[in-house]
Amino acid sequence: MADFIRSKLLDWGLRELEERFEANKVTEESLFCLTNEDITELIPEVGLRSIFRRRLEELKSKQNIRQETPDFSTQENEETTKLVQVPPSTSSKGKRKSDLQGQFNKWQSPTKRQRDSVTETRILSEVKGIMKDVSDSLHGQDKLSTFLKNKINDLETDKRELVGVFGRTGAGKSSLINAIINEKNLLATGIISACTTVMIKVEANTCSPKYEAEIEFILKEEWHDELWSLKNLKKGDDYRDMVKKLSALYGEEWKDKSPENLLEKKYFKNIPEFLEPKRKVLHCDTAEKLSEELFKYTKCVPKQEDGYKAQQWFWPLVKCVTVRVPNNKFLQHVTLVDLPGNGDRNKSRNEMWRQIVGDCSTVWIVAEITRAASENEAWEILKSAHGLIGNGGQCEQIHFICTKSDPSDNRDIKNKEAKKEVTSEFRALNESLSDHFSEDCFKVFTVSAEEFLERKGVKEDVNEIAKLQDFLQNCNDCHSETCNYVTGAYGILSLIEGARRRKEGVGKADDVCKVLEKNMREQLNTVKTAVEEATKDFEQCLAEGIKNFITSEKKLKTFLDRKEPSFFSTLQAVVKKDGIHTTKYGEQIDLNMMLASCLTDSIDKKFRETFPNDIKCGSFKGVISRFSLGTNSLIQKYNDVELQLIFLQTQEDKMKAQMEKFILKQKKKIYTSLTETVKENMTKCYIEVKEVEGTGALKNMRKTIERHVYSNKKMYEEAKKTMLMKMDALKKVMLFTLQKIMKEAIEFSLKTAAYSLPDVSEYLETLTTHYNQLQGGQDEEMLQQ
């Protein structure tokens, strides 16, 4: 057994567990991966187990704080010692205390946020331990015990926010991510160009103290299709792009080889996972080592780079890389995704790109400060992807990040000018996108990753990386996670204790049930009315959109009449990929979205009002957030069942939060159904156009597409019908779910007999204290806002 484990057990007063840990080969790495089930099996004694679980959570918490910043040279550490001596400011509202202190949380006294975070981590750990013990003590086979066990299991939630990071190669995305999460050497930067086809996710490693990378490859069949496509490609961009891929993977050996030959095992000795197929996982002790290991999977190295020996480069086969960083507070519930600007030319990679973009709650657009306002590629991302991240997605905030704002004369003035120009550009663009985004969702930041990583006296007002770090910590929202868990646990223990005490007052319970059921019927009817009104509004909007179908067909004709020499190969690629293609220059072409635009444009404004991406605003004009069984007033009237009503109140709150998340997910499917229906109707056309060849092929392709569209106007009616059906289906699921969950909760709270439930009175006292403490913290936050 490692000295680390032995030392910790000794420090924790648990020396008697040494033999067990040694027999089960618990190492420093596996210690952080122990599940509740593992701990219960290792330590069956409740007392010892509770102590161990609390100590382990404290250790994890300390490591999170200790490793907020990377190690630097001795000289830098000496400079840091001086910085620590800067006296703290007393500015209010929890903002960072000084220009220097904001950068060096590792070296300063804990801020209020850190102290609160540590306290809440301890509370969460303690409450999870309590609920594990309560679950273990529910031995009964009756319905109520089973119901309670399920509710305890449901307390665990995996909240994860996606932040999409866009920008052209060389804009400084990798350096920005490294600086923000305080990992100087994680993502490779420098003169070697990144492979713009590979998506890189950066998230927390919660199971191991190591740095990990999980590499997902495209399917073997997809690569086979790409190899076959080479014989149909003429000299041009697509041909050169394919040759670049083949040369990276095979060197010069690909020439005069068939696709079958190029799929032989000898070419994949270093990545057998590609043929199996499965994901490849790398484990490293340091960020720098992992970065080196990932190099050949994510980088394009030009032939002229003499510093790199001839070797295989696997990026043509890589679909996505997930990098996991240990002990990083900025990634606790956040995943940063370094995304290619406008999708990908490979079909499966492009589908994944669209899925991830649609799931991003925040979008970061990165451009160099010297050309931020005029950076066409940056603005094209918003123009082409607005439907995916707006009404068809869940983006709440758009951050435009001006990089390389390095120290210089008049830096403050340059930053202000850049912010003003970028904001002005967004306002001009947003005139056409206002039905997807509000002006309030857009913010501009100026940063210098190099300055921040070098730890030179950084002023937060000019180098705003610290503000972006604050943003990520707010996304992590430790307080919300702890509060939600504790509130749910408080409700469950209230139900257990209330059920144990329920010997009298059965008649009153019946009275309460009647009132609750009446209130529920009324509330369900209100929800039903709200959804039906929204559906009727959409029906009217879509009817107007169908009348304006000519606007979509004009867009199609403008596209088909393009005169550039490469348009023939572009159109071939578009029809081959079911109407969706990303050109070599990053232009996103989507014929289906183009044709459906008369419908989507007609509903955009009403759709954003009905389904705001900010869940706090509430869908259907807040009808879910207002849903209430009236438990507060009933508690004052029926004291005998107060504890049961507390449980119902917590279940109601949880149910409403889950319902809003469900609606957010479904609304994306409802919106995109318009484009998907058009795509299904165009499939036959795409198949027909793919077969066109010979003299006058381009002209015949154009005519075939136009003829199909003009003779198939019924697809607009079908798209409308499909969307309205999905709205009706959403209404039915909402009503069924709301009724089922709350009816079940009422049934088990007030109508089900209790058998051999454990005494949780002491645990309930503890939970009540924590619950009141956390609620007080929420009230304080609201007053400060």
Side-chain angles (χ1 to χ4, degrees), residues 729-773:
L730 174 62
K731 179 189 72 175
K732 290 176 180 177
V733 173
M734 287 171 61
L735 295 174
F736 174 80
T737 305
L738 290 170
Q739 183 176 30
K740 179 178 182 295
I741 291 176
M742 296 317 298
K743 186 177 179 180
E744 184 182 54
I746 293 170
E747 182 79 26
F748 282 105
S749 299
L750 298 164
K751 296 183 179 181
T752 305
Y755 299 100
S756 61
L757 291 177
D759 181 356
V760 297
S761 55
E762 290 187 10
Y763 283 152
L764 182 56
E765 281 186 32
T766 302
L767 264 292
T768 302
T769 300
H770 290 325
Y771 174 79
N772 290 333
Q773 179 182 352

Side-chain angles (χ1 to χ4, degrees), residues 68-70 72 80 83 96-108 111 114 179-182 329-330 447-449 451-470:
E68 285 170 4
T69 53
F72 297 97
T80 299
L83 292 171
R96 291 178 180 264
K97 300 301 186 275
S98 74
D99 291 336
L100 297 175
Q101 280 184 305
Q103 316 303 325
F104 307 109
N105 290 333
K106 178 180 177 181
W107 304 308
Q108 64 179 329
T111 62
Q114 290 172 327
I180 288 174
I181 65 171
N182 282 330
K329 71 172 183 177
F330 300 112
V447 304
S448 170
E451 178 191 45
F452 188 86
L453 287 168
E454 287 180 357
R455 293 306 191 238
K456 295 175 180 176
V458 181
K459 294 184 178 180
E460 186 179 320
D461 56 338
V462 292
N463 189 351
E464 298 178 301
I465 283 181
K467 292 181 181 179
L468 292 169
Q469 289 179 327
D470 280 344

Side-chain angles (χ1 to χ4, degrees), residues 680-698:
E680 289 169 11
N681 275 273
M682 290 294 294
T683 300
K684 184 178 178 181
C685 172
Y686 296 142
I687 294 172
E688 185 179 343
V689 175
K690 275 190 285 189
E691 303 301 322
V692 176
E693 56 185 21
T695 305
L698 178 59

Side-chain angles (χ1 to χ4, degrees), residues 161 360-362 389 394-398 441 613-616 664:
E161 300 285 343
C360 288
S361 59
T362 300
I389 63 179
Q394 59 185 71
C395 179
E396 297 179 37
Q397 299 187 64
I398 300 170
C441 79
N613 283 344
D614 186 352
I615 292 180
K616 298 183 186 71
L664 182 63

Side-chain angles (χ1 to χ4, degrees), residues 510-565:
D510 290 341
D511 292 342
V512 173
C513 284
K514 290 177 182 178
V515 177
L516 290 169
E517 288 165 356
K518 175 179 176 291
N519 290 347
M520 182 167 67
R521 286 192 297 272
E522 292 174 352
Q523 292 295 306
L524 289 173
N525 189 56
T526 302
V527 172
K528 179 174 179 288
T529 301
V531 180
E532 288 176 347
E533 287 178 353
T535 304
K536 186 177 180 180
D537 289 340
F538 290 146
E539 186 174 12
Q540 292 174 350
C541 292
L542 290 170
E544 288 299 315
I546 292 173
K547 293 178 183 178
N548 295 324
F549 70 86
I550 192 69
T551 58
S552 292
E553 295 181 2
K554 282 182 179 179
K555 292 178 183 178
L556 175 66
K557 184 165 179 56
T558 300
F559 169 74
L560 292 177
D561 288 346
R562 284 165 62 163
K563 305 296 184 184
E564 61 260 33

Side-chain angles (χ1 to χ4, degrees), residues 611-650:
F611 299 109
N613 283 344
D614 186 352
I615 292 180
K616 298 183 186 71
C617 296
S619 54
F620 298 105
K621 300 179 181 178
V623 71
I624 298 299
S625 59
R626 292 192 302 272
F627 185 98
S628 173
L629 299 184
T631 50
N632 274 330
S633 59
L634 290 173
I635 286 174
Q636 298 172 10
K637 186 175 180 180
Y638 297 98
N639 292 329
D640 292 342
V641 289
E642 177 184 2
L643 292 173
Q644 289 91 328
L645 290 170
I646 288 173
F647 168 74
L648 285 174
Q649 195 173 53
T650 60

Side-chain angles (χ1 to χ4, degrees), residues 584-599:
K584 181 179 178 67
Y585 303 102
E587 179 191 3
Q588 177 89 27
I589 299 170
D590 191 333
L591 290 192
N592 310 306
M593 192 176 289
M594 197 181 294
L595 289 169
S597 63
C598 63
L599 301 175

